[in-house]
Amino acid sequence: MKNVLWIILLFLGAVLLAFGAQHNSGSVIFVLSQHRIELSFNFFVVLLLLALFVLFLLFRILAAIFNIPKTLRRFQDKRAQEMFNRALLAFFEGQHQQAFKLAQKTYQKNNWKGLSALLAAHCAENENQRTWLNYARQADESLHHAATLLEAQTAFQTQRFGDALNALSSLPPKIAASKTALLLDLSAREGLNEGQNILSRLKMLQKKGVLTSESAQKVKNQATLNALKEASDNLENLTTFLNGWKPENINEIQAAVDYLLHFG
């Protein structure tokens, strides 16, 4: 639409110029010391328009030259974004090696260092992962908690349950209350065979939708047995636990009775 308006305006300008030229017999005279130059007014207008057009082109060329660095940065940022998108797609498709290679390349781009390093850490292993997590933290402080959560997940996967809990404990309340963090916390405590700590969290986990009623009951049965084991080292602790225990179904009672008979 904009181009059409420009064409219409140029056409109208040409018509007006032609009409004026037919009814104009004036001239323009330039006097320079002993020289005198006389031009018809119409020819002078044409020369003036050509001069303005050349001047306009010259300014456009100079602007383009001075904008080359900015244009180049935009082009590089676009290429980096496209490469990062390909890395994400490869990661979600399970092609972690390909995602790692692409993330390494986009890490070289200033605007994508943090996220690229974090993605590379997700695809890396062992010491290599720790290196990329450090890169992510150095590039962007806002990624610190995401890197810590990844450290906790890796610790759990390698059965370092205590390290996973330590990493989770350093997270701010908002992130620690996320479903992912809560489920990871529960799984790590189950790996450590904790009892009382899990029982004290069950209602909160159900309320936040981390566990269904059925899965919560299974967790509670096992946690109850673990709590009995924790308390069985001392008769006073065992008595205190049994006095505060409120079983909700026969399966939970049966599991506890079987353990107490075995303990006895």
Side-chain angles (χ1 to χ4, degrees):
M1 186 65 184
K2 184 178 180 181
N3 293 334
V4 174
L5 290 175
W6 273 109
I7 291 173
I8 293 174
L9 289 174
L10 288 174
F11 178 76
L12 290 176
V15 171
L16 291 174
L17 187 61
F19 180 79
Q22 290 179 355
H23 297 80
N24 181 34
S25 58
S27 61
V28 177
I29 299 175
F30 295 95
V31 179
L32 298 174
S33 64
Q34 299 179 356
H35 301 282
R36 183 171 179 272
I37 301 174
E38 183 175 353
L39 300 173
S40 69
F41 182 78
N42 296 334
F43 185 59
F44 172 75
V45 170
V46 172
L47 289 178
L48 182 61
L49 291 175
L50 285 175
L52 290 174
F53 180 71
V54 170
L55 190 62
F56 170 77
L57 287 180
L58 181 61
F59 276 116
R60 290 294 299 270
I61 292 171
L62 290 175
I65 292 173
F66 286 113
N67 281 331
I68 285 177
K70 187 176 180 181
T71 303
L72 183 59
R73 283 195 299 271
R74 284 201 301 265
F75 175 75
Q76 291 175 338
D77 289 343
K78 184 178 179 181
R79 286 286 301 275
Q81 183 175 1
E82 291 173 352
M83 189 177 296
F84 184 74
N85 291 342
R86 294 206 310 272
L88 277 179
L89 181 60
F91 174 76
F92 289 123
E93 289 176 345
Q95 302 178 48
H96 289 180
Q97 188 174 2
Q98 177 68 11
F100 181 72
K101 290 179 180 178
L102 291 171
Q104 281 183 305
K105 292 180 181 179
T106 55
Y107 175 75
Q108 306 302 324
K109 312 301 180 182
N110 290 333
N111 292 345
W112 297 90
K113 280 186 176 294
L115 290 175
S116 298
L118 187 62
L119 180 58
H122 270 279
C123 302
E125 297 178 356
N126 303 326
E127 292 295 331
N128 203 17
Q129 184 185 73
R130 279 193 282 272
T131 300
W132 282 103
L133 285 174
N134 289 333
Y135 287 161
R137 289 188 173 104
Q138 292 169 7
D140 190 345
E141 292 183 359
S142 66
L143 298 177
H144 176 77
H145 301 314
T148 301
L149 185 58
L150 178 57
E151 285 179 332
Q153 291 171 333
T154 302
F156 173 77
Q157 291 168 358
T158 54
Q159 297 187 349
R160 293 182 289 113
F161 305 120
D163 291 341
L165 291 176
N166 288 336
L168 290 171
S169 66
S170 66
L171 293 174
K174 184 177 180 179
I175 298 178
S178 67
K179 188 173 181 178
T180 299
L182 289 173
L183 187 58
L184 186 59
D185 179 90
L186 173 63
S187 300
R189 292 182 187 281
E190 287 181 314
L192 292 172
N193 293 319
E194 290 190 2
Q196 195 62 46
N197 285 334
I198 293 178
L199 291 174
S200 64
R201 287 170 165 78
L202 277 179
K203 288 186 178 179
M204 180 268 292
L205 293 175
Q206 281 185 271
K207 184 177 180 181
K208 289 183 174 292
V210 177
L211 296 174
T212 63
S213 298
E214 182 179 353
S215 58
Q217 189 57 55
K218 292 180 181 179
V219 171
K220 186 176 183 181
N221 291 343
Q222 185 59 49
T224 299
L225 293 179
N226 292 338
L228 283 170
K229 292 177 184 178
E230 293 170 354
S232 62
D233 293 337
N234 183 290
L235 183 59
E236 183 179 351
N237 291 338
L238 181 60
T239 303
T240 301
F241 172 76
L242 291 175
N243 288 336
W245 180 41
K246 297 179 181 180
E248 297 181 359
N249 58 55
I250 190 64
N251 293 331
E252 189 177 341
I253 297 173
Q254 184 63 48
V257 170
D258 290 343
Y259 173 77
L260 287 174
L261 289 175
H262 177 72
F263 173 71

